[in-house]
Amino acid sequence: MAAEWSVLVLTCQRGGCVSAFQRELEARRLRGGLGPRPPPLLLAVEDPWAHLGSGGATLNALLVAAEHLSARAGCTVVTSDVLKEAHILILHTGRDFSFDDCGRAFTCLPVEEPGAAAEALVCNLDSLLGTMTHQLCVGSPPGVWVCSTDMLLTVPSAPGIDWDGFQGVRVIAVPGSQAYARNHGVYLTNEQGLVHNIIYRGTEAQIQQCAGPDGTVPLVCGVVFFSSDAAEQLLATHVIPPLDACTYMGLDSGAPPIQLSLFFDIVLCMAGGVTEQDFVKGGGDTSVRNARSVLWAALHAFPLSMACIANASYDYMTTSASDHIRSLTLLPSSASHLCFCKTAHSHVDQPCLLEDGSSVTNCLLEGAVRLAASSVIQHCHLQGPLEIGPGCLLSGLSVGSSPALQGFPLRDVVLQGHHMRLRDLPCRVFTLTGRLDDWQSPAERATYLNMPWAEFFHWTGIREGDLWDAETPQGSRCLLNARLFPVLHAHEALGLEDVLWLLAPVAGERLARWRAAWRMSWQELLPCLDKAAELSARQALFFLQGQHKVRRVLLGRQDSSLLPLARSAVHEGYHEAVLGTLDEVASTAGDAGIAARALSCIAEVLGCMARGEGGLRSGPAANREWASAFGRLESGDIAGGVRELAAERQKWMSRPALLVRAARHYEGAEQILVRQAVMSSCQFVAVGQAELPPLGHWVQVACPARLDLSGGWSDTPPITYEHGGAVVDVAVLVDGCWPIGARVRRISEPELRLVSLGGTPQSEVVAELVCRELEHLQDYCQPHAPGALLKAAFICTQVVQFPSQKPLQAQLMESFRGGFEVHTWSKLPHGSGLGTSSILAGAVMASLYRAAGKAASTESLIHAVLHLEQRLTTGGGWQDQVGGLVPGIKIGRSKAQLPLRVEVEEIQVPDGFTQTLNDHLLLVYTGKTRLARNLLQDVVRNWYARLPSAVQNADALVSNAEECAQALRQGNLPLIGKCLDCYWEQKKCMAPGCEPLAVGRMMDALRPYVYGQCLAGAGGGGFLYVLTRAPRQKEVLHQILAKTEGLGNFSIHSVEVDTGGFSVKVVGCDTEDSACPGEHTAVKAFALTHS
């Protein structure tokens, strides 16, 4: 579950960052970072005054939210009625932060989210949004949540907040130690859980009074909820002076500024232990006291309750560098359950140089960059050799800073690069401080660069007068207002070296250069920070390291998904850079497998650019405009083909429909390279010579069907050679017969007669085609063309040379003194899932080889069918031909390598178990059909995208196949059934949508009577095979299904394990052969070697 927001408001300080923050909110909406149903209203709201306070910012944000909701409701004035059913979240970015120019909200965390739809940096804002949306606020009634962003907050997935009968206002607390509470706020509550008071930096006795039985105290964590009634009353105060000064309307009306705290000026007025007199008197000046009086009258009647979340943690982001570094380096006090990692969204050439306990986020570290424990690098592009010691924080350094850093061993320092805007002049400024320095402590008892100021002056030659005006009192001189940092120089460009020299001063030139520069203090720099430029620079660096990630993942053949990065690149306008990198990898890798995946990634980027419009991703990919590029790829010129593809792509980028069509053609190009990779298996096809059968004598092959018991899809290219595959198959007779067959004979006419029969060799002719010219074969690679499989078989067996300058008839007369006639048949319906097309291809090739006077082993036929299906462009795997051409029960395997080789192991089952299997296996024809190719395109696309679910499922398919093989060796029917059920779940994961509703109903009806069940093949229809608990259950299952509604036409068939294997026989000119074993009337038989 998730909270569904009506409005999400992000407040920001006055000063020009509101547009940048609005873009950040919109970016999160685009990439899915605001949940499945993002708020219809996203508002970045600027504080009307420079020092408004969290209370004033809350009232102003509430007014802006109500105004927008009122406008959407068609109102012409602000009405509080719009709050009654609204769910509003207000996030305050708060004050400036010493260690991040964009504030605590946009401080990046060392976190990666592999399950995210789009890849992006994870900021504290994102962490808090996730916590509020998916945990804290789930189930709350309409109202307004207010949350500070100045802390790291984590809560359990089920925080256990009871909203029954809730009224008023509720504060959220987390348990903390009494020692921690000494510098923070805590709640004092009564026995009913109502807040009695808020204690800030209380005495030991006051804090002890707030403690629970376990000794912990409820810490104020910056989160509060106003019911819609309370929010209405708070909103009503915006028109009452002096509270009107908190809003932009007050600013526009000329009201004087006022500063209010959310907790001590708004929430505290509802505490039960506070009197009106004490509350009002607690205001600093007259305007605040007047404001408190108005707030008391409006809100005091509302009950203020507290929910203290057990097992939650709260870590305020202080101005201490030590605290900040510790919070980012996985030490015990950090929010470790956020899954922090050492390297997040970064490319590091030598990761072994990063010590445990260090942290690198959004960086590009080239060469030897050594990082010690307890050090952090963020948003940096650095080139080694560099050595960064412990206790360091580096941020915002560009590659040009690297030479300056190489001469300075860093230790216990904070070194930052800042984007500034001085009026209209953009510039870069560098600041350097010590880890132990305090910004506001008086210089006389404070440090700079971790040493006393007096020692620093002696060390560098700098004088107090260089840093502070004479008018600045001694007690007011501190690091915050020391003019240390060079900004501009009259004659020279400034760089990182102009602050680094402070670490190793050389008297003379550097000091003089430093004195001659116009310098500013951190206090003076803060208003000039260019947050928009900083966010833009971080984004540019993110995609630069992302391009390195693309190279690393593809060239390293890593199972990491690049699809989330592609989505982000499209959302953020960096798609051209990513496309260029993918072009580069595809053209220079020198490997067809890597290039194919790169082309698939390009198709994903193009698909993302279409933004869900333009039609289905799957579709034709043979437009003539792409033919030249395809031709280069077919010829082996990958680099040239990729260049032509990229040039053609530019013509198809203008609208979604063209982008989708371009994506289809990139997937078509990818399939060319996959075919070339798979065709490396041709080296395992060995063809020998055999006696040429007499003219007119048929060579007939009859084959069993196959059942895939586990592991299917792992045999599919490219999965099979990139991941490795394992499939358990059984060769089976269906209703006692071999259901698939082919026969070939030589004829005197120099032509190819291609005949398709009905279900048996004796059936009537269904279709007939005669080829007399080579051009009649040119559509062999179009699977739906008449006779395509048979044409491809003639070409792949090299009975016919295609293409060739020699006419077809001349080839046939020269080599065979005539042509060939081929008959094929199958008793199985189209889309049966029993491997018909591949097994038929094996039957045709076996008979064709023999009729042409050649001999091929079973291993050769398995690989020859792989070759044929790639030429045919159906893109099949190897499990079907293994299942139908190798007898009995076996497991086929392929390693994660090229050339692709399939090795088959017979599974030895206990004596008598084959008959047991026959008694318990049944086939149910579902009456539904679906082409595997429709599923195949999605599976290959998901695999190339390396979706985590696809990678994990590929692992599971292979391991389940090995478990199934072991269960068969044991003769363990229940365990085999468990493997079948597991396999079906894996198939549904690999190809969602492969279980039609009727099939689901059928499986539900059969479940009590079977150990396991699964749709054969890719699923989507065809045959369901079941392993029954009791033997010989055909009639029982028929009765069960006959009583089940909504199944349509089904039929049940017996199956038997075929232990003999397919047969190749040379028979007479006129044959009456049956397709059933033991009934052949062969004149002369030639056994085919199995290996």
Side-chain angles (χ1 to χ4, degrees), residues 597-608:
R597 186 178 173 190
L599 296 182
S600 179
C601 289
I602 292 174
E604 291 288 9
V605 174
L606 298 174
C608 291

Side-chain angles (χ1 to χ4, degrees), residues 534-550:
E534 177 61 30
L535 290 168
S536 179
R538 291 179 186 183
Q539 185 184 75
L541 182 56
F542 172 79
F543 285 107
L544 183 60
Q545 68 81 27
Q547 288 170 259
H548 280 74
K549 176 181 178 177
V550 169

Side-chain angles (χ1 to χ4, degrees), residues 448-768:
Y448 178 56
L449 296 179
N450 309 310
M451 68 181 82
W453 279 99
E455 183 180 335
F456 169 75
F457 293 143
H458 177 74
W459 170 252
T460 60
I462 292 174
R463 298 185 294 266
E464 281 195 61
D466 294 323
L467 304 180
W468 297 286
D469 296 333
E471 297 80 18
T472 306
Q474 282 290 335
S476 299
R477 296 181 180 187
C478 62
L479 177 55
L480 185 64
N481 56 27
R483 293 191 182 97
L484 276 161
F485 310 117
V487 176
L488 294 173
H489 194 284
H491 306 294
E492 301 178 67
L494 298 175
L496 185 60
E497 60 274 12
D498 292 291
V499 293
L500 282 176
W501 76 275
L502 299 172
L503 294 172
V506 178
E509 182 183 342
R510 281 293 176 191
L511 176 58
R513 176 182 164 100
W514 178 85
R515 282 200 172 115
W518 177 41
R519 303 181 311 280
M520 296 175 72
S521 67
W522 180 241
Q523 190 173 49
E524 293 167 329
L525 288 171
L526 277 173
C528 304
L529 293 175
D530 191 338
K531 294 179 173 63
E534 177 61 30
L535 290 168
S536 179
R538 291 179 186 183
Q539 185 184 75
L541 182 56
F542 172 79
F543 285 107
L544 183 60
Q545 68 81 27
Q547 288 170 259
H548 280 74
K549 176 181 178 177
V550 169
R551 297 185 188 96
R552 182 175 71 247
V553 167
L554 295 180
L555 296 175
R557 296 181 170 86
Q558 296 176 9
D559 284 338
S560 299
S561 178
L562 295 175
L563 181 55
L565 180 64
R567 291 193 182 112
S568 284
V570 170
H571 295 327
E572 307 288 353
Y574 281 83
H575 50 275
E576 287 292 353
V578 172
L579 286 171
T581 302
L582 291 167
D583 288 335
E584 173 205 322
V585 171
S587 59
T588 60
D591 181 283
I594 292 173
R597 186 178 173 190
L599 296 182
S600 179
C601 289
I602 292 174
E604 291 288 9
V605 174
L606 298 174
C608 291
M609 290 174 67
R611 300 182 188 273
E613 300 178 8
L616 296 173
R617 277 290 305 276
S618 299
N623 188 288
R624 293 179 182 177
E625 300 296 322
W626 300 81
S628 176
F630 281 20
R632 282 188 177 272
L633 295 177
E634 294 278 14
S635 70
D637 181 8
I638 294 178
V642 170
R643 281 195 301 272
E644 287 202 22
L645 286 171
E648 184 61 32
R649 180 178 73 220
Q650 294 304 315
K651 307 172 189 175
W652 297 67
M653 305 280 274
S654 60
R655 62 181 191 273
L658 292 180
L659 285 163
V660 168
R661 290 166 64 193
R664 292 172 182 169
H665 283 81
Y666 263 93
E667 289 186 342
E670 152 226 308
Q671 283 302 314
I672 293 172
L673 299 183
V674 171
R675 288 199 294 274
Q676 291 176 347
V678 174
M679 286 195 285
S680 64
S681 63
C682 287
Q683 61 189 270
F684 304 115
V685 178
V687 180
Q689 294 299 311
E691 181 183 349
L692 189 69
L695 194 71
H697 280 60
W698 290 103
V699 177
Q700 182 161 302
V701 174
C703 294
R706 71 96 186 88
L707 293 182
D708 54 316
L709 301 188
S710 57
W713 285 122
S714 73
D715 67 304
T716 304
I719 301 172
T720 190
Y721 61 75
E722 291 185 350
H723 175 275
V727 184
V728 174
D729 273 319
V730 183
V732 294
L733 307 176
V734 180
D735 291 333
C737 295
W738 283 308
I740 303 162
R743 62 187 179 204
V744 180
R745 66 176 176 181
R746 287 192 299 118
I747 56 177
S748 57
E749 296 86 350
E751 62 189 25
L752 306 179
R753 296 179 192 163
L754 314 179
V755 180
S756 177
L757 305 176
T760 68
Q762 292 77 38
S763 299
E764 294 182 0
V765 172
V766 174
E768 184 171 359

Side-chain angles (χ1 to χ4, degrees), residues 5 88-90 132 137 140 144-146 163 172 223-225:
W5 303 113
I88 299 172
L89 175 60
I90 299 171
M132 299 297 287
C137 308
S140 66
V144 179
W145 283 90
V146 184
W163 294 103
I172 304 298
V223 180
V224 60
F225 174 70

Side-chain angles (χ1 to χ4, degrees), residues 90-405:
I90 299 171
L91 294 156
H92 293 311
T93 58
R95 293 166 293 199
D96 293 311
F97 188 42
S98 311
F99 310 114
D100 196 293
D101 291 356
C102 298
R104 292 172 173 86
F106 290 98
T107 296
C108 285
L109 305 179
V111 173
E112 291 190 353
E113 297 179 310
E119 188 169 329
L121 298 174
V122 178
C123 303
N124 188 37
L125 173 68
D126 302 299
S127 174
L128 289 169
L129 268 171
T131 298
M132 299 297 287
T133 302
H134 298 286
Q135 294 160 306
L136 262 187
C137 308
V138 175
S140 66
V144 179
W145 283 90
V146 184
C147 179
S148 168
T149 61
D150 60 6
M151 77 291 194
L152 296 172
L153 177 67
T154 54
V155 301
S157 56
I161 302 175
D162 183 8
W163 294 103
D164 287 345
F166 170 77
Q167 291 180 324
V169 177
R170 175 166 287 167
V171 291
I172 304 298
V174 300
S177 69
Q178 294 183 40
Y180 190 84
R182 289 182 194 132
N183 291 311
H184 293 275
V186 292
Y187 294 111
L188 176 63
T189 59
N190 62 20
E191 293 179 355
Q192 288 74 41
L194 297 177
V195 175
H196 188 74
N197 205 346
I198 304 174
I199 311 297
Y200 181 66
R201 290 187 174 179
T203 65
E204 191 171 331
Q206 287 175 316
I207 293 172
Q208 176 64 39
Q209 194 179 4
C210 300
D214 60 356
T216 63
V217 293
L219 297 173
V220 176
C221 70
V223 180
V224 60
F225 174 70
F226 295 85
S227 67
S228 56
D229 289 340
E232 284 186 51
Q233 287 300 309
L234 178 59
L235 176 63
T237 67
H238 87 273
V239 296
I240 305 174
L243 287 170
D244 60 339
C246 293
T247 70
Y248 84 93
M249 287 186 176
L251 172 67
D252 292 350
S253 303
I258 186 173
Q259 182 174 1
L260 291 180
S261 161
L262 172 62
F263 286 90
F264 294 105
D265 291 318
I266 296 180
V267 174
L268 185 61
C269 75
M270 293 172 277
V274 178
T275 67
E276 180 177 5
Q277 184 178 5
D278 289 342
F279 175 68
V280 174
K281 266 206 247 179
D285 55 31
T286 303
S287 62
V288 174
R289 287 195 293 273
N290 290 338
R292 283 188 166 205
S293 181
V294 173
L295 289 167
W296 180 277
L299 299 174
H300 180 69
F302 289 103
L304 178 63
S305 59
M306 181 194 74
C308 189
I309 311 301
N311 301 315
S313 70
Y314 162 83
D315 194 359
Y316 180 72
M317 300 170 74
T318 72
T319 57
S320 161
S322 296
D323 288 349
H324 187 60
I325 291 170
R326 184 170 60 248
S327 71
L328 297 177
T329 51
L330 309 179
L331 293 180
S333 64
S334 73
S336 57
H337 51 288
L338 287 175
C339 301
F340 283 12
C341 49
K342 184 194 297 185
T343 305
H345 302 294
S346 298
H347 174 79
V348 182
D349 276 354
Q350 299 184 38
C352 60
L353 299 182
L354 308 181
E355 293 185 11
D356 290 342
S358 63
S359 174
V360 177
T361 303
N362 194 36
C363 288
L364 184 53
L365 304 184
E366 300 173 312
V369 178
R370 187 178 297 276
L371 183 64
S374 301
S375 281
V376 174
I377 308 180
Q378 293 196 327
H379 316 301
C380 291
H381 181 183
L382 301 175
Q383 290 180 337
L386 294 176
E387 185 153 348
I388 297 151
C392 292
L393 170 64
L394 274 62
S395 178
L397 303 182
S398 62
V399 67
S401 304
S402 299
L405 281 171

